[in-house]
Amino acid sequence: MKPGSTVRALRSQRVLYGNEIRPGVIIIQGGKIQEILTDSDPGLGAPYEVLDVGERLVMPGIVDCHVHVNEPGRTTWEGFWTATRAAAAGGVTTIVDMPLNSIPPTTTVRNFLTKVQAARGQCFVDTAFWGGVVPGNQSEIRPLIQAGVLGFKCFLIHSGVEEFPHVTDSDLHTAMTQLQGTDSVLLFHAETEVEQQVAEQEDPCEYSSFLKSRPDTMELEAIQTVTQLCLQYQVRCHIVHLSSAQALETIHAARQAGAPLTVETTHHYLTLSAEHIPPGATQFKCCPPIRAQANQDRLWSALKAGQIDMVVSDHSPCTAELKRVDTGNFTQAWGGISSLQFGLSLFWTTASQKGFSVPEMVKILCQKPAELCHLDRQKGFLLPGHDADLVVWDPDMEFEVTEACVHHKNKLSPYLGFRLRGQVFATIVRGKIVYKKGAFTPHPFGQILLSNKAQTLEA
């Protein structure tokens, strides 16, 4: 079957069925999983053309709920066409787009409709949207929920773009009041400004200089604020891209006290470490920063223990010029890492060595992100009645990340040259093959997903 084809039955010797991997056939009807037959050869009737993928592993498509698509307004950085193609190549079947760095940002209903219009006809995978909380837009919060955003994001520090200002304490209390009773969620970029002394002679081309400028205390103080708000208002709160393991104790204490709080970390914090970042290698810059190896080890332990709920890409691309690759100046470079296409392989390369099972990975990459977004009734699980969103991949196959295989608009990446384990063979969205063996469907058929009873729009 070619990309663009509709799959009605898929057979594999390795289908993730609950917490087991065994031979099975997935029957698909109307874009939904109708039945999962555990017999490897159930004698399907003539109506079915069976796609047999042999020994390749079949599991739910990944839900990446932290993606900066940047369209409209900054499509030289990325865009729906390239972002969702890259997602499909990496086994991601659903993305949730952040409210910045597009122009306009998703902070009003009018701006949201502008973004939806920009996405139409360009999405290779299903796409949903976060709204934004900024100073002065409190009257837009509930209308944005009705319009279909899955929740909201705010910054406690400068966001990096002028059109998405960070909130004050007063803004936060107002927003939390608006969100009470909605079952929506507020996502926090949890860093705040702290007083610090930085040596005047620090070399801006040394990564250590940048790391010193974003110490752990910036996250610790911000997360303390988040936990207090979460406990006070009992509104669902979510900490995005946790980098500092020092904050885990505060998060655990808040949850024990009854805070409806979740937390994510990213592939770059679990894969990269400060000790291995060369001078001038600005492709490694992100905010919060990549910290030391010992910190990374603690993040992995917390993930294994369930203290961190999910892992996402925080795909935040830009042009090579904005990365200051010519000067190698970390102070001036844009902070963001592109990894949407490689999340599955990045995670599995290390997780498989640390004793994580495939079911554990699916919980972290698929199920928990879907639950955060209230998409878990249709996404993230291999169950009858759910969307037939599947990734077919070989967990044992290795490949090298080269520019030629990168489908993001801008190819600059800290992962170039990395040898990763786990290669995607095919990605299926609602029963249709969107990607297979390096080829894509010629016509994108991803849907736009809205909140409230899982409404969808043809994209």
Side-chain angles (χ1 to χ4, degrees):
M1 291 184 180
K2 297 179 180 179
S5 301
T6 297
V7 180
R8 291 183 172 83
L10 185 149
R11 174 186 285 127
S12 173
Q13 295 304 303
R14 292 195 289 178
V15 175
L16 180 64
Y17 193 86
N19 287 322
E20 296 181 50
I21 296 173
R22 52 189 176 182
V25 178
I26 301 170
I27 308 299
I28 301 168
Q29 187 171 27
K32 302 282 187 180
I33 298 172
Q34 183 182 34
E35 189 177 7
I36 303 174
L37 304 174
T38 56
D39 187 348
S40 62
D41 186 13
L44 293 171
Y48 296 103
E49 178 185 355
V50 181
L51 174 62
D52 194 326
V53 298
E55 294 285 337
R56 296 183 179 93
L57 179 63
V58 181
M59 71 179 209
I62 292 165
V63 178
D64 193 334
C65 58
H66 194 147
V67 178
H68 294 270
V69 177
N70 306 335
E71 186 174 5
R74 290 191 173 97
T75 50
T76 55
W77 299 17
E78 193 62 274
F80 286 104
W81 187 276
T82 52
T84 57
R85 270 171 60 100
V92 178
T93 52
T94 303
I95 67 167
V96 188
D97 175 59
M98 281 293 168
L100 73 165
N101 304 300
S102 56
I103 302 173
T106 314
T107 52
T108 68
V109 171
R110 181 177 181 178
N111 291 357
F112 174 55
L113 295 176
T114 298
K115 176 165 280 193
V116 169
Q117 186 60 37
R120 289 184 184 276
Q122 295 205 74
C123 296
F124 286 80
V125 302
D126 287 356
T127 302
F129 305 92
W130 297 116
V133 169
V134 295
N137 83 325
Q138 62 267 23
S139 64
E140 295 280 351
I141 291 175
R142 293 202 172 205
L144 275 165
I145 294 172
Q146 292 301 313
V149 301
L150 303 188
F152 298 86
K153 183 182 184 180
C154 68
F155 276 72
L156 305 184
I157 194 173
H158 194 286
S159 71
V161 292
E162 296 301 326
E163 66 274 2
F164 199 95
H166 66 283
V167 291
T168 64
D169 285 346
S170 175
D171 298 322
L172 284 172
H173 286 285
T174 301
M176 296 295 269
T177 301
Q178 288 291 317
L179 289 169
Q180 280 185 313
T182 66
D183 202 28
S184 192
V185 59
L186 184 56
L187 284 58
F188 291 83
H189 180 120
E191 285 183 293
T192 189
E193 295 287 0
V194 296
E195 289 188 15
Q196 55 185 306
Q197 293 188 358
V198 180
E200 295 181 5
Q201 301 304 315
E202 293 283 359
D203 184 350
C205 293
E206 289 289 339
Y207 182 74
S208 58
S209 302
F210 169 63
L211 185 56
K212 289 176 185 176
S213 74
R214 311 283 290 218
D216 296 78
T217 50
M218 294 177 68
E219 282 190 88
L220 297 176
E221 292 198 10
I223 289 171
Q224 188 65 49
T225 297
V226 174
T227 57
Q228 291 169 356
L229 285 165
C230 192
L231 284 167
Q232 178 181 349
Y233 288 95
Q234 289 296 303
V235 167
R236 289 199 301 140
C237 295
H238 179 75
I239 295 166
V240 301
H241 52 47
L242 178 74
S243 81
S244 175
Q246 291 183 27
L248 289 166
E249 186 176 338
T250 300
I251 293 166
H252 177 70
R255 286 169 150 175
Q256 290 293 103
L261 179 66
T262 50
V263 59
E264 71 187 32
T265 192
T266 71
H267 300 296
H268 38 274
Y269 299 134
L270 295 174
T271 303
L272 307 172
S273 56
E275 294 92 333
H276 300 103
I277 299 178
T282 52
Q283 65 269 28
F284 288 84
K285 180 181 176 180
C286 58
C287 297
I290 294 160
R291 303 193 189 277
Q293 181 65 56
N295 179 83
Q296 182 190 111
D297 293 340
R298 289 183 63 191
L299 292 178
W300 275 108
S301 296
L303 191 64
K304 186 72 171 176
Q307 294 176 297
I308 296 173
D309 299 283
M310 65 198 75
V311 179
V312 297
S313 69
D314 184 15
H315 178 70
S316 185
C318 70
T319 62
E321 290 77 14
L322 285 171
K323 269 296 185 184
R324 301 290 194 240
V325 292
D326 53 340
T327 65
N329 188 315
F330 282 99
T331 304
Q332 297 175 348
W334 174 261
I337 289 176
S338 300
S339 62
L340 177 58
Q341 181 181 339
F342 300 108
L344 171 59
S345 304
L346 286 166
F347 185 83
W348 185 244
T349 298
T350 305
S352 59
Q353 297 173 353
K354 290 182 175 289
F356 282 74
S357 66
V358 171
E360 284 176 314
M361 181 178 70
V362 167
K363 182 178 180 181
I364 291 165
L365 299 186
C366 310
Q367 296 173 0
K368 286 295 184 179
E371 290 172 1
L372 173 71
C373 306
H374 280 332
L375 293 174
D376 50 305
R377 291 188 177 182
Q378 66 182 122
K379 304 292 185 184
F381 293 78
L382 216 60
L383 291 171
H386 277 60
D387 288 350
D389 293 352
L390 312 171
V391 55
V392 181
W393 64 296
D394 187 339
D396 302 313
M397 184 172 289
E398 295 185 355
F399 68 98
E400 183 179 341
V401 180
T402 64
E403 283 194 21
C405 74
V406 176
H407 294 288
H408 307 142
K409 180 169 286 186
N410 291 285
K411 314 302 181 186
L412 187 66
S413 168
Y415 303 116
L416 291 177
F418 273 46
R419 191 155 190 85
L420 302 180
R421 184 167 180 248
Q423 188 167 47
V424 173
F425 171 77
T427 302
I428 297 168
V429 176
R430 285 174 288 100
K432 293 184 178 179
I433 302 173
V434 63
Y435 170 87
K436 184 180 178 184
K437 295 173 61 177
F440 297 88
T441 176
H443 305 293
F445 46 75
Q447 289 183 339
I448 290 171
L449 306 177
L450 304 178
S451 67
N452 303 326
K453 300 180 182 179
Q455 302 174 71
T456 59
L457 296 174
E458 291 299 329

Coordinates of all heavy atoms in Angstrom, one line a residue, residues 101-178:
N101 N 5.2 31.1 18.6 CA 5.7 32.4 18.1 C 5.1 32.8 16.8 O 5.7 33.4 16.0 CB 7.2 32.2 17.9 CG 7.9 31.8 19.2 OD1 7.8 32.4 20.2 ND2 8.6 30.6 19.2
S102 N 3.9 32.5 16.6 CA 3.2 32.9 15.4 C 2.8 34.4 15.6 O 2.7 34.9 16.7 CB 1.9 32.1 15.2 OG 1.1 32.1 16.3
I103 N 2.5 35.0 14.5 CA 2.0 36.4 14.5 C 0.7 36.4 13.6 O 0.8 36.2 12.4 CB 3.0 37.4 13.9 CG1 4.3 37.4 14.7 CG2 2.4 38.8 13.9 CD1 5.4 38.2 14.0
P104 N -0.5 36.6 14.3 CA -0.6 37.0 15.7 C -0.6 35.8 16.6 O -0.8 34.6 16.1 CB -2.1 37.6 15.7 CG -2.8 36.8 14.6 CD -1.8 36.6 13.5
P105 N -0.3 36.0 17.9 CA -0.4 34.9 18.8 C -1.8 34.5 19.1 O -2.7 35.2 18.9 CB 0.3 35.5 20.1 CG 0.0 37.0 20.0 CD 0.0 37.3 18.5
T106 N -2.0 33.3 19.6 CA -3.3 32.7 19.9 C -3.8 33.2 21.2 O -4.0 32.4 22.2 CB -3.3 31.2 19.8 OG1 -2.6 30.8 18.6 CG2 -4.7 30.6 19.7
T107 N -4.1 34.5 21.3 CA -4.5 35.1 22.6 C -5.9 35.7 22.5 O -6.4 36.2 23.6 CB -3.5 36.2 23.0 OG1 -3.3 37.1 21.9 CG2 -2.2 35.6 23.4
T108 N -6.5 35.7 21.4 CA -7.9 36.1 21.2 C -8.6 35.2 20.3 O -8.0 34.4 19.5 CB -8.0 37.6 20.6 OG1 -7.5 37.5 19.2 CG2 -7.2 38.6 21.4
V109 N -9.9 35.2 20.3 CA -10.7 34.3 19.4 C -10.4 34.7 17.9 O -10.2 33.8 17.1 CB -12.2 34.4 19.7 CG1 -13.0 33.7 18.6 CG2 -12.5 33.8 21.1
R110 N -10.3 36.0 17.7 CA -10.0 36.4 16.3 C -8.7 35.8 15.8 O -8.5 35.3 14.7 CB -10.0 37.9 16.2 CG -9.8 38.5 14.8 CD -9.9 40.0 14.8 NE -9.6 40.5 13.5 CZ -9.7 41.8 13.2 NH1 -10.0 42.7 14.1 NH2 -9.4 42.2 12.0
N111 N -7.7 35.9 16.7 CA -6.3 35.4 16.3 C -6.4 33.9 16.2 O -5.7 33.4 15.3 CB -5.3 35.8 17.4 CG -5.0 37.3 17.5 OD1 -5.6 38.1 16.7 ND2 -4.2 37.7 18.4
F112 N -7.1 33.2 17.0 CA -7.3 31.8 16.9 C -7.9 31.4 15.6 O -7.4 30.5 14.9 CB -8.1 31.2 18.1 CG -8.4 29.8 18.0 CD1 -7.4 28.8 17.9 CD2 -9.8 29.3 18.0 CE1 -7.7 27.5 17.8 CE2 -10.1 28.0 17.9 CZ -9.0 27.1 17.8
L113 N -8.9 32.1 15.1 CA -9.5 31.8 13.8 C -8.5 32.0 12.7 O -8.5 31.3 11.7 CB -10.8 32.6 13.7 CG -11.9 32.2 14.7 CD1 -13.1 33.2 14.5 CD2 -12.3 30.8 14.5
T114 N -7.7 33.0 12.9 CA -6.6 33.3 11.9 C -5.7 32.1 11.8 O -5.3 31.7 10.7 CB -5.9 34.6 12.2 OG1 -6.8 35.7 12.2 CG2 -4.7 34.9 11.2
K115 N -5.3 31.6 12.9 CA -4.4 30.4 12.9 C -5.0 29.2 12.3 O -4.4 28.5 11.5 CB -3.9 30.1 14.4 CG -3.0 28.9 14.4 CD -2.3 28.8 15.7 CE -1.1 29.7 15.7 NZ -0.1 29.4 16.8
V116 N -6.3 28.9 12.7 CA -7.0 27.8 12.1 C -7.0 27.9 10.6 O -6.8 26.9 9.9 CB -8.4 27.7 12.7 CG1 -9.2 26.7 11.9 CG2 -8.3 27.3 14.2
Q117 N -7.3 29.1 10.1 CA -7.4 29.3 8.6 C -6.0 29.0 8.0 O -5.9 28.5 6.9 CB -7.8 30.7 8.3 CG -8.1 31.0 6.9 CD -9.1 30.1 6.2 OE1 -10.1 29.8 6.9 NE2 -8.9 29.7 5.0
A118 N -4.9 29.4 8.7 CA -3.6 29.2 8.2 C -3.3 27.7 8.1 O -2.5 27.3 7.2 CB -2.6 29.9 9.0
A119 N -3.8 27.0 9.0 CA -3.5 25.5 9.1 C -4.3 24.7 8.0 O -3.9 23.6 7.7 CB -3.8 25.0 10.5
R120 N -5.4 25.2 7.6 CA -6.3 24.4 6.7 C -5.5 24.0 5.4 O -4.8 24.8 4.8 CB -7.5 25.3 6.3 CG -8.5 25.5 7.4 CD -9.7 26.2 6.8 NE -10.7 26.5 7.9 CZ -11.6 25.7 8.3 NH1 -11.7 24.5 7.8 NH2 -12.4 26.1 9.3
G121 N -5.7 22.7 5.1 CA -5.1 22.2 3.9 C -3.6 21.9 4.0 O -3.0 21.5 3.0
Q122 N -3.0 22.1 5.1 CA -1.5 22.0 5.3 C -1.1 20.9 6.3 O 0.1 20.7 6.4 CB -0.9 23.3 5.7 CG -1.1 24.4 4.7 CD 0.0 25.4 5.0 OE1 1.2 25.2 4.6 NE2 -0.3 26.5 5.6
C123 N -2.0 20.2 6.9 CA -1.6 19.4 8.0 C -1.6 17.9 7.6 O -2.6 17.3 7.2 CB -2.6 19.5 9.2 SG -2.6 21.2 9.9
F124 N -0.5 17.3 7.8 CA -0.3 15.8 7.5 C -0.7 15.0 8.6 O -0.9 13.8 8.5 CB 1.1 15.6 7.1 CG 1.5 16.0 5.7 CD1 1.8 17.4 5.5 CD2 1.5 15.2 4.6 CE1 2.1 17.8 4.2 CE2 1.8 15.6 3.3 CZ 2.1 16.9 3.1
V125 N -0.8 15.5 9.8 CA -1.3 14.8 11.0 C -2.3 15.7 11.7 O -2.5 16.9 11.3 CB -0.1 14.5 12.0 CG1 1.0 13.7 11.3 CG2 0.5 15.8 12.6
D126 N -3.1 15.1 12.6 CA -4.1 15.9 13.3 C -3.5 16.9 14.2 O -2.4 16.7 14.8 CB -5.0 14.9 14.1 CG -5.9 14.1 13.2 OD1 -5.9 14.3 12.0 OD2 -6.7 13.3 13.8
T127 N -4.1 18.1 14.2 CA -3.5 19.3 14.9 C -4.5 20.0 15.8 O -5.6 20.3 15.3 CB -3.0 20.2 13.8 OG1 -2.0 19.6 12.9 CG2 -2.3 21.5 14.4
A128 N -4.1 20.3 17.0 CA -4.9 21.0 17.9 C -4.1 22.2 18.4 O -2.9 22.4 18.0 CB -5.3 20.1 19.1
F129 N -4.7 23.0 19.3 CA -4.1 24.3 19.6 C -4.2 24.7 21.1 O -5.3 24.4 21.7 CB -4.7 25.4 18.8 CG -4.7 25.2 17.3 CD1 -5.8 24.5 16.7 CD2 -3.6 25.6 16.5 CE1 -5.7 24.3 15.3 CE2 -3.6 25.3 15.1 CZ -4.7 24.7 14.5
W130 N -3.2 25.3 21.6 CA -3.2 25.9 22.9 C -3.5 27.4 22.7 O -3.1 28.0 21.7 CB -1.9 25.8 23.7 CG -1.4 24.4 24.0 CD1 -0.3 23.8 23.6 CD2 -2.1 23.5 24.9 NE1 -0.2 22.5 24.1 CE2 -1.3 22.3 25.0 CE3 -3.2 23.6 25.7 CZ2 -1.6 21.2 25.8 CZ3 -3.5 22.5 26.5 CH2 -2.7 21.3 26.5
G131 N -4.3 28.0 23.6 CA -4.4 29.4 23.7 C -3.3 30.0 24.6 O -2.6 29.3 25.2
G132 N -3.3 31.3 24.7 CA -2.3 32.0 25.5 C -2.9 32.9 26.5 O -4.0 33.5 26.2
V133 N -2.3 33.0 27.7 CA -2.7 34.0 28.7 C -1.6 35.0 28.8 O -0.5 34.7 29.0 CB -2.9 33.3 30.1 CG1 -3.0 34.4 31.2 CG2 -4.1 32.4 30.1
V134 N -2.0 36.3 28.5 CA -1.1 37.4 28.5 C -1.8 38.5 29.3 O -3.0 38.5 29.5 CB -0.7 37.9 27.1 CG1 0.1 36.8 26.4 CG2 -2.0 38.3 26.3
P135 N -1.1 39.6 29.7 CA -1.7 40.7 30.4 C -2.9 41.3 29.6 O -2.7 41.6 28.4 CB -0.6 41.7 30.6 CG 0.7 40.8 30.6 CD 0.4 39.7 29.6
G136 N -4.0 41.4 30.2 CA -5.1 42.1 29.6 C -6.1 41.2 28.7 O -7.1 41.8 28.2
N137 N -5.8 39.9 28.6 CA -6.7 39.1 27.7 C -7.7 38.2 28.5 O -8.2 37.3 28.0 CB -6.0 38.3 26.7 CG -5.4 37.0 27.2 OD1 -5.1 36.9 28.4 ND2 -5.4 36.0 26.3
Q138 N -7.9 38.6 29.8 CA -8.8 37.7 30.6 C -10.2 37.5 30.1 O -10.8 36.5 30.3 CB -8.8 38.3 32.1 CG -9.4 39.7 32.2 CD -8.4 40.8 32.2 OE1 -7.3 40.6 31.6 NE2 -8.7 41.9 32.8
S139 N -10.7 38.5 29.4 CA -12.0 38.4 28.8 C -12.1 37.5 27.6 O -13.2 37.1 27.2 CB -12.6 39.8 28.4 OG -11.8 40.3 27.3
E140 N -10.9 37.1 27.1 CA -10.9 36.1 26.0 C -10.8 34.7 26.4 O -10.9 33.8 25.6 CB -9.7 36.5 25.1 CG -9.7 37.9 24.4 CD -10.6 37.8 23.2 OE1 -11.0 36.7 22.7 OE2 -10.9 38.9 22.6
I141 N -10.5 34.4 27.7 CA -10.2 33.1 28.1 C -11.3 32.1 27.9 O -11.2 31.1 27.2 CB -9.7 33.1 29.6 CG1 -8.3 33.7 29.7 CG2 -9.6 31.6 30.1 CD1 -7.8 33.9 31.1
R142 N -12.5 32.4 28.4 CA -13.7 31.5 28.2 C -14.1 31.5 26.8 O -14.5 30.4 26.3 CB -14.8 31.9 29.2 CG -14.4 31.7 30.7 CD -15.5 31.5 31.6 NE -15.1 31.1 32.9 CZ -15.8 30.4 33.8 NH1 -17.1 30.1 33.4 NH2 -15.4 30.1 35.0
P143 N -14.2 32.6 26.1 CA -14.5 32.5 24.6 C -13.5 31.6 23.8 O -13.9 30.9 22.9 CB -14.5 33.9 24.2 CG -14.8 34.7 25.4 CD -14.2 34.0 26.5
L144 N -12.3 31.6 24.2 CA -11.3 30.8 23.5 C -11.6 29.3 23.8 O -11.4 28.5 22.9 CB -9.9 31.2 23.9 CG -9.2 32.3 23.2 CD1 -8.0 32.8 23.9 CD2 -8.9 31.9 21.7
I145 N -12.0 29.0 25.0 CA -12.3 27.6 25.4 C -13.5 27.2 24.5 O -13.5 26.1 23.9 CB -12.7 27.5 26.9 CG1 -11.5 27.7 27.7 CG2 -13.3 26.1 27.2 CD1 -11.8 27.8 29.2
Q146 N -14.5 28.1 24.4 CA -15.7 27.7 23.5 C -15.3 27.6 22.1 O -15.9 26.8 21.3 CB -16.8 28.8 23.7 CG -17.4 28.8 25.1 CD -18.0 27.5 25.5 OE1 -18.8 26.9 24.7 NE2 -17.8 27.0 26.6
A147 N -14.3 28.4 21.7 CA -13.9 28.3 20.3 C -13.1 27.1 19.9 O -13.0 26.7 18.8 CB -13.0 29.5 19.9
G148 N -12.5 26.4 21.0 CA -11.9 25.1 20.7 C -10.5 24.9 21.2 O -9.9 23.9 20.9
V149 N -9.8 25.9 21.8 CA -8.4 25.7 22.3 C -8.5 24.6 23.4 O -9.5 24.5 24.1 CB -7.7 26.9 22.8 CG1 -7.7 28.0 21.6 CG2 -8.4 27.5 24.0
L150 N -7.4 23.8 23.6 CA -7.4 22.8 24.5 C -7.0 23.2 25.9 O -7.1 22.5 26.9 CB -6.4 21.7 24.1 CG -6.7 21.1 22.7 CD1 -5.7 19.9 22.5 CD2 -8.1 20.6 22.5
G151 N -6.5 24.4 26.0 CA -6.0 25.0 27.3 C -5.2 26.2 27.0 O -5.2 26.7 25.9
F152 N -4.4 26.6 28.0 CA -3.7 27.9 27.8 C -2.2 27.8 28.3 O -1.9 27.0 29.2 CB -4.4 29.0 28.6 CG -5.8 29.2 28.1 CD1 -6.8 28.5 28.6 CD2 -6.0 30.2 27.2 CE1 -8.1 28.7 28.2 CE2 -7.3 30.4 26.7 CZ -8.4 29.7 27.2
K153 N -1.4 28.6 27.8 CA 0.0 28.7 28.2 C 0.3 30.2 28.6 O -0.2 31.1 28.0 CB 1.0 28.3 27.1 CG 2.4 28.3 27.5 CD 3.4 27.9 26.4 CE 4.8 27.8 26.9 NZ 5.8 27.5 25.8
C154 N 1.2 30.3 29.6 CA 1.6 31.6 30.0 C 3.1 31.5 30.3 O 3.7 30.4 30.6 CB 0.9 32.1 31.2 SG 1.2 31.2 32.8
F155 N 3.8 32.7 30.4 CA 5.2 32.8 30.7 C 5.3 33.6 32.0 O 4.6 34.6 32.2 CB 5.9 33.5 29.6 CG 6.4 32.6 28.5 CD1 5.5 32.1 27.6 CD2 7.7 32.3 28.3 CE1 5.9 31.3 26.6 CE2 8.2 31.5 27.3 CZ 7.3 31.0 26.4
L156 N 6.2 33.2 32.9 CA 6.5 34.0 34.1 C 7.8 34.8 33.9 O 8.2 35.4 34.8 CB 6.7 33.0 35.3 CG 5.5 32.1 35.6 CD1 5.7 31.3 36.8 CD2 4.2 32.9 35.7
I157 N 8.3 34.8 32.7 CA 9.5 35.5 32.3 C 9.4 35.9 30.9 O 8.5 35.4 30.2 CB 10.8 34.6 32.5 CG1 12.1 35.4 32.5 CG2 10.8 33.4 31.5 CD1 13.3 34.5 32.8
H158 N 10.2 36.8 30.4 CA 10.1 37.2 29.0 C 10.1 36.0 28.1 O 10.9 35.1 28.2 CB 11.3 38.2 28.6 CG 11.1 38.9 27.4 ND1 11.2 38.4 26.1 CD2 10.8 40.2 27.2 CE1 11.0 39.3 25.2 NE2 10.7 40.4 25.8
S159 N 9.1 36.0 27.1 CA 8.9 34.9 26.3 C 9.9 34.8 25.1 O 10.0 33.7 24.5 CB 7.5 34.9 25.7 OG 7.4 35.9 24.7
G160 N 10.6 35.9 24.9 CA 11.5 35.9 23.7 C 10.9 36.7 22.5 O 11.7 37.0 21.6
V161 N 9.6 36.9 22.5 CA 8.9 37.7 21.5 C 8.0 38.7 22.1 O 7.4 38.4 23.1 CB 8.1 36.8 20.5 CG1 9.0 35.9 19.7 CG2 7.1 35.9 21.3
E162 N 8.0 39.9 21.5 CA 7.3 41.0 22.1 C 5.8 40.9 22.1 O 5.1 41.4 23.0 CB 7.7 42.3 21.4 CG 9.2 42.7 21.5 CD 9.7 42.9 23.0 OE1 8.8 43.3 23.8 OE2 10.8 42.5 23.3
E163 N 5.3 40.1 21.2 CA 3.8 40.1 21.0 C 3.2 39.1 22.0 O 2.0 38.9 22.1 CB 3.4 39.7 19.6 CG 3.8 38.3 19.1 CD 5.3 38.3 18.6 OE1 5.9 39.3 18.6 OE2 5.7 37.2 18.1
F164 N 4.0 38.4 22.8 CA 3.5 37.5 23.8 C 4.2 37.8 25.2 O 5.1 37.1 25.6 CB 3.8 36.0 23.4 CG 2.9 35.0 24.1 CD1 1.8 34.5 23.5 CD2 3.3 34.5 25.4 CE1 0.9 33.6 24.2 CE2 2.5 33.6 26.0 CZ 1.3 33.1 25.4
P165 N 3.7 38.9 25.8 CA 4.3 39.3 27.1 C 4.1 38.4 28.3 O 3.1 37.6 28.3 CB 3.7 40.7 27.4 CG 2.4 40.7 26.6 CD 2.6 39.8 25.4
H166 N 4.9 38.4 29.2 CA 4.8 37.5 30.4 C 3.8 38.1 31.4 O 3.5 39.3 31.4 CB 6.1 37.2 31.1 CG 6.7 38.4 31.7 ND1 7.4 39.3 31.0 CD2 6.8 38.8 33.0 CE1 7.9 40.3 31.8 NE2 7.6 39.9 33.0
V167 N 3.2 37.3 32.2 CA 2.1 37.7 33.1 C 2.7 38.1 34.5 O 3.8 37.7 34.9 CB 1.1 36.6 33.3 CG1 0.3 36.3 32.1 CG2 1.8 35.3 33.8
T168 N 1.9 38.9 35.2 CA 2.2 39.3 36.6 C 1.4 38.4 37.5 O 0.6 37.7 37.1 CB 1.9 40.8 36.8 OG1 0.4 40.9 36.6 CG2 2.5 41.7 35.8
D169 N 1.7 38.6 38.8 CA 0.9 37.9 39.8 C -0.6 38.2 39.7 O -1.4 37.3 39.8 CB 1.4 38.2 41.2 CG 2.7 37.5 41.5 OD1 3.1 36.6 40.8 OD2 3.4 37.9 42.5
S170 N -0.9 39.5 39.5 CA -2.3 39.9 39.3 C -2.9 39.2 38.1 O -4.1 38.7 38.2 CB -2.3 41.4 39.2 OG -3.7 41.8 38.9
D171 N -2.2 39.1 37.0 CA -2.7 38.5 35.8 C -3.0 37.0 36.1 O -4.0 36.4 35.6 CB -1.7 38.5 34.6 CG -1.4 40.0 34.2 OD1 -2.3 40.8 34.2 OD2 -0.2 40.2 33.9
L172 N -2.1 36.4 36.8 CA -2.3 34.9 37.1 C -3.6 34.7 38.0 O -4.3 33.7 37.7 CB -1.1 34.4 37.9 CG 0.2 34.2 37.0 CD1 1.4 33.8 37.9 CD2 -0.1 33.0 36.0
H173 N -3.8 35.5 39.0 CA -5.0 35.3 39.8 C -6.2 35.5 39.0 O -7.2 34.8 39.2 CB -4.9 36.3 41.0 CG -3.9 35.8 42.1 ND1 -4.1 34.8 42.9 CD2 -2.7 36.3 42.4 CE1 -3.1 34.6 43.8 NE2 -2.2 35.5 43.4
T174 N -6.2 36.5 38.1 CA -7.4 36.8 37.3 C -7.6 35.6 36.4 O -8.8 35.1 36.2 CB -7.2 38.1 36.5 OG1 -7.0 39.2 37.3 CG2 -8.4 38.3 35.6
A175 N -6.6 35.1 35.8 CA -6.7 33.9 34.8 C -7.2 32.7 35.6 O -8.1 32.0 35.1 CB -5.4 33.7 34.2
M176 N -6.7 32.4 36.7 CA -7.1 31.3 37.5 C -8.6 31.3 37.9 O -9.3 30.3 37.8 CB -6.2 31.1 38.7 CG -4.8 30.8 38.5 SD -4.5 29.2 37.6 CE -4.2 28.2 39.0
T177 N -9.0 32.5 38.2 CA -10.5 32.7 38.5 C -11.3 32.4 37.3 O -12.4 31.8 37.4 CB -10.7 34.2 39.0 OG1 -9.9 34.4 40.1 CG2 -12.2 34.4 39.3
Q178 N -10.9 32.9 36.1 CA -11.6 32.6 34.9 C -11.6 31.1 34.5 O -12.6 30.6 34.0 CB -10.9 33.4 33.7 CG -11.2 34.9 33.7 CD -12.6 35.2 33.5 OE1 -13.2 34.7 32.6 NE2 -13.1 36.2 34.2

